[in-house]
Amino acid sequence: GQLGFLLSLPLNEAAMPAAAYRAWIARCVDAVVAHKQELEESFSVWRNDMFLSEANFRMVCQEVFGLRLLEDDIADLALFVGGDPSSEEPTVNGLLVLQLPDRFRS
């Protein structure tokens, strides 16, 4: 899976350079701030705890964020916030996405 692929890469190829990381976080935070209410409603459609399958997460984000975030940004965001490790399929923690502005806004 994705984790196995990342573990096989040298660290400098698996990690974003610091400037790219800061720019990506800023884009994600701005997108979440602009669409927080829509995200809250959409993330809780499948489960009240806001854990979503990766497919549902990508679908919601592509619909809600529109052109604010690229598909690669959304895929990286899914990996960044992770999900429920006990789940058989990859999940994303929507609550952590909603908390991004609190954690990273300066």
Side-chain angles (χ1 to χ4, degrees):
Q2 292 173 343
L3 182 58
F5 172 74
L6 287 175
L7 291 175
S8 71
L9 293 175
L11 186 57
N12 66 335
E13 291 181 27
M16 286 183 209
Y21 170 76
R22 286 190 300 273
W24 171 75
I25 282 288
R27 286 193 306 276
C28 292
V29 166
D30 289 345
V32 170
V33 167
H35 299 284
K36 189 168 185 169
Q37 184 174 351
E38 290 172 89
L39 291 172
E40 285 176 351
E41 293 169 4
S42 297
F43 287 167
S44 61
V45 165
W46 291 276
R47 290 175 44 173
N48 287 336
D49 64 4
M50 296 190 184
F51 279 92
L52 301 88
S53 70
E54 277 191 25
N56 288 342
F57 177 76
R58 288 177 191 225
M59 178 184 63
V60 165
C61 288
Q62 288 169 350
E63 181 70 29
V64 171
F65 293 141
L67 299 176
R68 280 187 178 269
L69 294 179
L70 301 172
E71 270 188 55
D72 287 347
D73 290 334
I74 294 168
D76 290 342
L77 185 56
L79 290 173
F80 184 73
V81 297
D84 182 356
S86 66
S87 177
E88 290 183 19
E89 70 174 76
T91 60
V92 177
N93 186 337
L95 186 57
L96 288 180
V97 173
L98 295 172
Q99 293 172 347
L100 281 178
D102 299 330
R103 295 177 54 205
F104 294 100
R105 200 137 217 215
S106 46

